[in-house]
Amino acid sequence: MNHTENHKFSLTTPLYYVNGVPHIGSAYTTMVADAIARFHRLQGKSVLLVTGTDEHGQKIQRTAAEENVEPQVHCDRIVESFKSLWDKLDIKYDRFIRTTDPQHKQIVNEFFARVWEQDDIYLDRQQGWYCVSCEEFKEERDLIEDHYCAIHTNKQAEWRDEENYFFRLSKYQQQLEKLYESQPDFIQPASRRNEVLNFVQQGLKDFSISRIDLDWGFPIPIDDQHTIYVWFDALLGYITALLDPDQAPTLDNALAKWWPIDLHLIGKDILRFHAVYWPAMLASAGLPLPSKVFGHGFLTKDGLKMGKTLGNTIDPIELVDRYGADAVRYYFLKEIELGNDGDFNETRFINVLNNDLADVLGNSLNRTLGMLKKYCQSTVPQLSSADFSSDHPLKSIGMTLGDRVVQAYENLQVSQACTAVLTLVRAVNKYIDDSAPWKLFKQEQHSEVEQILYAVLESIRLSAYLLSPVIPSTSSKIYQQLGFDWDFNQEQENSQGAFSTHSNWGELPMSKALGQASPVFLKLELPSKD
Ligand code: MSP
């Protein structure tokens, strides 16, 4: 990887279906993507976070019909609820692509033409069970009793028997196998990779990329009796999204700066599309492949699968309105190891936040600022890393923390990154108790008191900095109380240089004037039942 490549990082969330307002699954993927994007920005990289909406297909057409509105009107309404939730959750996306954007059609047509020229598209008969909620043909073995979908257990798959255009996926069997072998981390985590390898080993079948009973979508360029299959159209949204706003919609323009994408972050249910169909489509069009597809796990509520029929969904809008963005982000990013399934339970949610952010992080800052006021006239002791031995209880953790957090983000282990930081904050509270600066102050050991308070303050600063991709508002409050003019939600002078000083323990000259102390995270309470 050359230097400039190292300084760019592009990632995508899935493009979400607009059949309804955003659910917690979409919010989860987007929060994870945002934290990863923020961490790369913090390191001074140029980052492109792509998100957006997948608006064509039968599912959306039917939803709009049920509401008696034109599909476009329906989509426009729902898109607003996505954008508003992303704002509430402090998601800083760079591109929001809608598959109904006019430039997208041109990209799809040009891509289609390339694949057509390779003789990778042909007309044939499609027979099979189709799940409209998945927008996917299912094998009998993937369905449960009475042809209900295993993912959407309240939806019956529909029998289809029609002429469709097919994409010659089978032609790419060997090429895909070679890809998975030569780039073992193309699909992550390992369990997902194995799933894909098993699927591919069974032999790839060509898949249909057009529908005949559908108006809501782009017509197949060579046959307007057919509409392009929603997944073929949606995946290409990742390319259209890369166009600058004033650029002519050509593939060359779209691919010039940000392609190939470094990371497609998705949920495990849509792995096959991203790890099998998508690379094959790109190979057919002669385009380079993305570097990585990461399939995260599924969320449950109180240990149960969520669903509208069970009536136990989590409304992300309600959650963020009630508890705030940092709380929601922290719970899902810290409590769930990315890649594993995870559970949401409101009591646990409250306990985790009150413990980690209010009691551990907030309280350590509060105690420290209080002592600085009392013992040092709110002035930061002018010390630095060199004044502390390397086995100092806080410096010893702080010295390697930045590197460990970088490593964790490189491995997409956001939860581990948070846990590593929390270890330092917990050590701060213990260190204050053990070293009892109030006693030393009474004994007039002023330089010892200064040493302690500097070490503590610097550890809290470093923790706030390294947690900022997850809890940007809380980190900003901490930085401001430490006297820094810094807001992690604003574009600022992120650079490699800034990262190396801010992410190191004791390297940053502290501001002399501390800001006003106030609680950075207020304790949460469960809403009353009535
Ligand atoms: N439109 C397609 C993606 C096209 S990408 C070119 C799609 N959209 S979706 O709205 O259904 O996807 C939502 C995302 O939420 C997916 O990543 C999916 O895995 C995720 N989740 C949906 N339910 C979920 C949970 N219960 N838990 C966690 N994530 C889940 O698929």
Side-chain angles (χ1 to χ4, degrees), residues 143-159:
L143 296 169
I144 54 178
E145 215 181 324
D146 282 340
H147 298 107
Y148 275 83
C149 171
I151 299 173
H152 304 93
T153 45
N154 59 338
K155 296 274 164 55
Q156 209 169 12
E158 301 168 14
W159 178 252

mmCIF file of all heavy atoms in Angstrom, residues 143-159:
data_model
loop_
_atom_site.group_PDB
_atom_site.id
_atom_site.type_symbol
_atom_site.label_atom_id
_atom_site.label_comp_id
_atom_site.label_asym_id
_atom_site.label_seq_id
_atom_site.Cartn_x
_atom_site.Cartn_y
_atom_site.Cartn_z
ATOM 1 N N LEU A 143 -36.250 -22.440 3.212
ATOM 2 C CA LEU A 143 -37.580 -22.023 3.674
ATOM 3 C C LEU A 143 -38.027 -22.911 4.825
ATOM 4 O O LEU A 143 -37.573 -24.050 4.958
ATOM 5 C CB LEU A 143 -38.591 -22.127 2.520
ATOM 6 C CG LEU A 143 -38.313 -21.187 1.342
ATOM 7 C CD1 LEU A 143 -39.188 -21.551 0.150
ATOM 8 C CD2 LEU A 143 -38.555 -19.722 1.741
ATOM 9 N N ILE A 144 -38.934 -22.378 5.666
ATOM 10 C CA ILE A 144 -39.476 -23.223 6.726
ATOM 11 C C ILE A 144 -40.843 -23.743 6.269
ATOM 12 O O ILE A 144 -41.197 -23.605 5.097
ATOM 13 C CB ILE A 144 -39.508 -22.473 8.088
ATOM 14 C CG1 ILE A 144 -40.252 -21.141 7.951
ATOM 15 C CG2 ILE A 144 -38.095 -22.243 8.596
ATOM 16 C CD1 ILE A 144 -40.361 -20.370 9.250
ATOM 17 N N GLU A 145 -41.619 -24.285 7.160
ATOM 18 C CA GLU A 145 -42.881 -24.930 6.798
ATOM 19 C C GLU A 145 -43.787 -24.034 5.955
ATOM 20 O O GLU A 145 -43.832 -22.815 6.161
ATOM 21 C CB GLU A 145 -43.610 -25.298 8.103
ATOM 22 C CG GLU A 145 -44.378 -26.592 7.990
ATOM 23 C CD GLU A 145 -45.092 -26.888 9.302
ATOM 24 O OE1 GLU A 145 -44.512 -26.567 10.358
ATOM 25 O OE2 GLU A 145 -46.206 -27.407 9.254
ATOM 26 N N ASP A 146 -44.526 -24.646 5.040
ATOM 27 C CA ASP A 146 -45.465 -23.918 4.166
ATOM 28 C C ASP A 146 -44.808 -22.807 3.350
ATOM 29 O O ASP A 146 -45.437 -21.801 3.027
ATOM 30 C CB ASP A 146 -46.609 -23.297 4.990
ATOM 31 C CG ASP A 146 -47.631 -24.345 5.367
ATOM 32 O OD1 ASP A 146 -47.664 -25.403 4.711
ATOM 33 O OD2 ASP A 146 -48.375 -24.096 6.332
ATOM 34 N N HIS A 147 -43.533 -22.952 3.083
ATOM 35 C CA HIS A 147 -42.792 -21.983 2.281
ATOM 36 C C HIS A 147 -42.726 -20.602 2.901
ATOM 37 O O HIS A 147 -42.682 -19.591 2.204
ATOM 38 C CB HIS A 147 -43.355 -21.922 0.852
ATOM 39 C CG HIS A 147 -43.223 -23.228 0.142
ATOM 40 N ND1 HIS A 147 -44.284 -24.050 -0.112
ATOM 41 C CD2 HIS A 147 -42.130 -23.870 -0.310
ATOM 42 C CE1 HIS A 147 -43.864 -25.155 -0.703
ATOM 43 N NE2 HIS A 147 -42.550 -25.066 -0.837
ATOM 44 N N TYR A 148 -42.728 -20.570 4.227
ATOM 45 C CA TYR A 148 -42.486 -19.287 4.898
ATOM 46 C C TYR A 148 -40.982 -19.036 4.892
ATOM 47 O O TYR A 148 -40.182 -19.970 4.867
ATOM 48 C CB TYR A 148 -43.042 -19.299 6.330
ATOM 49 C CG TYR A 148 -44.520 -18.948 6.354
ATOM 50 C CD1 TYR A 148 -45.478 -19.923 6.104
ATOM 51 C CD2 TYR A 148 -44.939 -17.637 6.589
ATOM 52 C CE1 TYR A 148 -46.837 -19.609 6.098
ATOM 53 C CE2 TYR A 148 -46.288 -17.315 6.581
ATOM 54 C CZ TYR A 148 -47.231 -18.296 6.334
ATOM 55 O OH TYR A 148 -48.559 -17.957 6.314
ATOM 56 N N CYS A 149 -40.626 -17.747 4.910
ATOM 57 C CA CYS A 149 -39.210 -17.389 4.854
ATOM 58 C C CYS A 149 -38.575 -17.577 6.230
ATOM 59 O O CYS A 149 -39.174 -17.224 7.246
ATOM 60 C CB CYS A 149 -39.089 -15.926 4.424
ATOM 61 S SG CYS A 149 -37.418 -15.277 4.574
ATOM 62 N N ALA A 150 -37.355 -18.116 6.249
ATOM 63 C CA ALA A 150 -36.695 -18.362 7.531
ATOM 64 C C ALA A 150 -36.285 -17.051 8.199
ATOM 65 O O ALA A 150 -36.135 -17.000 9.425
ATOM 66 C CB ALA A 150 -35.471 -19.253 7.325
ATOM 67 N N ILE A 151 -36.110 -15.998 7.421
ATOM 68 C CA ILE A 151 -35.737 -14.703 8.017
ATOM 69 C C ILE A 151 -36.986 -13.909 8.369
ATOM 70 O O ILE A 151 -37.129 -13.392 9.464
ATOM 71 C CB ILE A 151 -34.826 -13.901 7.049
ATOM 72 C CG1 ILE A 151 -33.531 -14.685 6.788
ATOM 73 C CG2 ILE A 151 -34.518 -12.509 7.611
ATOM 74 C CD1 ILE A 151 -32.622 -14.091 5.741
ATOM 75 N N HIS A 152 -37.921 -13.831 7.407
ATOM 76 C CA HIS A 152 -39.183 -13.135 7.676
ATOM 77 C C HIS A 152 -40.247 -14.202 7.934
ATOM 78 O O HIS A 152 -40.985 -14.583 7.023
ATOM 79 C CB HIS A 152 -39.573 -12.259 6.469
ATOM 80 C CG HIS A 152 -38.499 -11.301 6.104
ATOM 81 N ND1 HIS A 152 -37.538 -11.559 5.160
ATOM 82 C CD2 HIS A 152 -38.231 -10.062 6.587
ATOM 83 C CE1 HIS A 152 -36.714 -10.525 5.074
ATOM 84 N NE2 HIS A 152 -37.107 -9.609 5.923
ATOM 85 N N THR A 153 -40.283 -14.665 9.164
ATOM 86 C CA THR A 153 -41.072 -15.868 9.453
ATOM 87 C C THR A 153 -42.582 -15.648 9.316
ATOM 88 O O THR A 153 -43.352 -16.605 9.350
ATOM 89 C CB THR A 153 -40.754 -16.393 10.867
ATOM 90 O OG1 THR A 153 -40.754 -15.271 11.746
ATOM 91 C CG2 THR A 153 -39.401 -17.076 10.925
ATOM 92 N N ASN A 154 -42.999 -14.398 9.157
ATOM 93 C CA ASN A 154 -44.431 -14.145 8.942
ATOM 94 C C ASN A 154 -44.755 -13.928 7.457
ATOM 95 O O ASN A 154 -45.855 -13.549 7.105
ATOM 96 C CB ASN A 154 -44.890 -12.937 9.767
ATOM 97 C CG ASN A 154 -44.126 -11.679 9.415
ATOM 98 O OD1 ASN A 154 -43.018 -11.771 8.871
ATOM 99 N ND2 ASN A 154 -44.682 -10.520 9.693
ATOM 100 N N LYS A 155 -43.762 -14.118 6.607
ATOM 101 C CA LYS A 155 -43.987 -13.887 5.172
ATOM 102 C C LYS A 155 -43.804 -15.189 4.390
ATOM 103 O O LYS A 155 -42.766 -15.846 4.505
ATOM 104 C CB LYS A 155 -42.980 -12.850 4.633
ATOM 105 C CG LYS A 155 -43.130 -11.476 5.251
ATOM 106 C CD LYS A 155 -44.171 -10.661 4.506
ATOM 107 C CE LYS A 155 -44.663 -9.448 5.284
ATOM 108 N NZ LYS A 155 -43.618 -8.549 5.714
ATOM 109 N N GLN A 156 -44.828 -15.482 3.577
ATOM 110 C CA GLN A 156 -44.746 -16.691 2.763
ATOM 111 C C GLN A 156 -44.048 -16.354 1.447
ATOM 112 O O GLN A 156 -44.352 -15.315 0.842
ATOM 113 C CB GLN A 156 -46.165 -17.167 2.480
ATOM 114 C CG GLN A 156 -46.269 -18.642 2.290
ATOM 115 C CD GLN A 156 -47.719 -19.108 2.284
ATOM 116 O OE1 GLN A 156 -48.648 -18.304 2.204
ATOM 117 N NE2 GLN A 156 -47.902 -20.410 2.366
ATOM 118 N N ALA A 157 -43.152 -17.212 1.035
ATOM 119 C CA ALA A 157 -42.523 -16.993 -0.267
ATOM 120 C C ALA A 157 -43.564 -17.254 -1.367
ATOM 121 O O ALA A 157 -44.503 -18.032 -1.174
ATOM 122 C CB ALA A 157 -41.333 -17.915 -0.417
ATOM 123 N N GLU A 158 -43.402 -16.583 -2.506
ATOM 124 C CA GLU A 158 -44.393 -16.698 -3.592
ATOM 125 C C GLU A 158 -43.784 -17.492 -4.747
ATOM 126 O O GLU A 158 -42.629 -17.286 -5.095
ATOM 127 C CB GLU A 158 -44.777 -15.282 -4.080
ATOM 128 C CG GLU A 158 -45.366 -14.440 -2.957
ATOM 129 C CD GLU A 158 -45.500 -12.954 -3.319
ATOM 130 O OE1 GLU A 158 -45.393 -12.616 -4.525
ATOM 131 O OE2 GLU A 158 -45.714 -12.147 -2.397
ATOM 132 N N TRP A 159 -44.581 -18.355 -5.342
ATOM 133 C CA TRP A 159 -44.083 -19.154 -6.478
ATOM 134 C C TRP A 159 -43.997 -18.275 -7.722
ATOM 135 O O TRP A 159 -44.931 -17.543 -8.043
ATOM 136 C CB TRP A 159 -44.998 -20.356 -6.731
ATOM 137 C CG TRP A 159 -44.545 -21.172 -7.907
ATOM 138 C CD1 TRP A 159 -45.148 -21.257 -9.136
ATOM 139 C CD2 TRP A 159 -43.383 -22.006 -7.968
ATOM 140 N NE1 TRP A 159 -44.444 -22.082 -9.960
ATOM 141 C CE2 TRP A 159 -43.344 -22.568 -9.275
ATOM 142 C CE3 TRP A 159 -42.365 -22.338 -7.064
ATOM 143 C CZ2 TRP A 159 -42.330 -23.428 -9.692
ATOM 144 C CZ3 TRP A 159 -41.351 -23.209 -7.473
ATOM 145 C CH2 TRP A 159 -41.350 -23.735 -8.777
#
